[in-house]
Amino acid sequence: MNRIAVYCGSASPADPRYIELAREVGTTLATRGIGVVYGGGKAGLMGAIAYAALEAGGEVIGVIPQALVDMEVANHDCTELHVVQTMHQRKQLFTDLSDGFITLPGGVGTMDELWEAISWAQLGYHSDPVGLLNAFGYYDGLVEFYAKMAETGFVRPMHKDIMIVAETLPDLLARMEAFEPIQTIVQMKVEDL
């Protein structure tokens, strides 16, 4: 993986572990020579990951909608900063610029990005690994819900492992590097759906 899109919150929770986690991810990716593609903001976990990666000499590519640039939250210190008009364009560029995805703790926008990455993998719009860093048990409920979707039959058996979950970054990166592309929905016959 040369570049990883990192999805995370733009908030700064009171618990300092979340900002420390984002810094650790930024530093680790940079020292491994993996570029960071992220939401282009300077606040919260987003800012922490970007500045840590830059401090470690890494490549940081921000993708941000014009509306957020107008609010003066854009990180102009990025290696590259792409300004787009819509969130749809933002997410498409994340996919185009990356060959893997990692989701850190975040809110509604982070969930939107994670689910789209999983959905696009199922459909065959990309064949890249989709990682979920379940630090501090933050995503325990989500992991349980995803398993419930698979158990019920709303996630096909061949797609249940699209979301790669780990509690530590080294474990997650190792699992992502070992990821084998799955049979996508567009490769299936109608009767198999």
Side-chain angles (χ1 to χ4, degrees), residues 63-106:
V63 184
I64 190 166
Q66 182 65 53
L68 295 178
V69 174
D70 295 344
M71 290 176 58
E72 299 183 4
V73 298
N75 180 358
H76 294 283
D77 294 327
C78 293
T79 310
E80 294 176 28
L81 184 64
H82 297 267
V83 179
V84 296
Q85 292 306 307
T86 69
M87 293 299 284
H88 292 292
Q89 292 170 334
R90 182 190 213 186
K91 292 184 287 183
Q92 181 66 58
L93 201 49
F94 283 150
T95 302
D96 293 345
L97 294 172
S98 305
D99 43 28
F101 307 86
I102 292 179
T103 299
L104 303 182

Side-chain angles (χ1 to χ4, degrees), residues 6 28 30 48 51 61 67 72 78 85 87 93-94 107 111-113 131 137 152 166 169-171 173 178 187 191 193:
V6 180
T28 300
Y51 287 117
I61 300 173
E72 299 183 4
C78 293
Q85 292 306 307
M87 293 299 284
L93 201 49
F94 283 150
M111 290 299 87
D112 174 51
E113 293 162 340
T152 306
L169 184 60
D171 188 22
L173 290 172
Q187 295 170 327
E191 57 269 16
L193 296 175

Side-chain angles (χ1 to χ4, degrees), residues 4-65:
I4 292 179
V6 180
Y7 301 141
C8 60
S10 61
S12 297
D15 186 337
R17 295 181 302 169
Y18 293 103
I19 294 293
E20 291 168 13
L21 173 69
R23 288 186 184 129
E24 174 194 336
V25 171
T27 300
T28 300
L29 293 178
T31 57
R32 289 185 179 210
I34 301 172
V36 171
V37 179
Y38 87 115
K42 58 185 177 183
L45 273 68
M46 272 196 217
I49 193 169
Y51 287 117
L54 289 167
E55 287 171 9
E59 175 189 47
V60 176
I61 300 173
V63 184
I64 190 166

Side-chain angles (χ1 to χ4, degrees), residues 164-183:
I164 303 165
V165 182
E167 295 179 5
T168 67
L169 184 60
D171 188 22
L172 183 61
L173 290 172
R175 290 179 188 192
M176 290 174 68
E177 288 168 0
F179 175 74
E180 295 287 333
I182 49 91
Q183 181 185 20

